[in-house]
Structure formats: structure tokens, C-alpha cells
Amino acid sequence: MSGKYIIMFKDSATPEQIQKYAQDVSSNGGAVHQVYDASIKGFSASIPDAYFQQLQSSLTDSPIAVIEPDGVVTTQ
């Protein structure tokens, strides 16, 4: 099973680090959908549960700032 997430990186993250994480998602059975590089550094992806747990456990030593569930945002 996999879920859809947005991975946002710290300002200090390099394009090479972001690309490596995108490749890691793909090589672990996930799929990158959209890459963001204008106002935020990151990408949206479908991430298998096992790899998601691995990402979550390594957040303190990584260039990742936050991982959030992807979803529709509406305004009133």
C-alpha cells in the first residue's frame, strides 16, 4: 500500500539532494508526480508504506523539512 505525500526540503537542500530523494522514492516502488522549485523546494509522490517509514525515521539527519499528506486545498 502507498500513500500520496508532499516532501518539502530545507532551504539549505541542494538540487542534487532533492533529485537523490526523488530517485530513491522511484527505486523503492514509489512515483514522483510533481517537482516544486519556485516557492518551495520539494515534490509530490506516491510512497510505499515501508519506504515512508524509513523516510520518517531519518528526518533528523536529512535535508527534508517536512512530509505531509497530499490533498486538495480549498479556500472559502
Side-chain angles (χ1 to χ4, degrees):
M1 180 110 190
S2 64
K4 293 183 179 182
Y5 299 94
I6 295 176
I7 299 178
M8 291 181 277
F9 290 83
K10 298 172 185 170
D11 289 338
S12 60
T14 66
E16 293 79 16
Q17 288 174 311
I18 296 168
Q19 181 63 32
K20 180 196 174 302
Y21 277 92
Q23 289 173 344
D24 287 350
V25 166
S26 296
S27 63
N28 282 282
V32 174
H33 303 295
Q34 180 102 15
V35 176
Y36 309 111
D37 58 9
S39 60
I40 63 168
K41 292 180 176 183
F43 56 84
S44 64
S46 296
I47 303 174
D49 292 338
Y51 187 62
F52 177 76
Q53 296 301 324
Q54 184 179 341
L55 283 175
Q56 286 276 33
S57 67
S58 66
L59 281 179
T60 55
D61 297 328
S62 79
I64 296 173
V66 66
I67 303 173
E68 295 184 351
D70 193 3
V72 177
V73 176
T74 60
T75 60
Q76 302 243 354

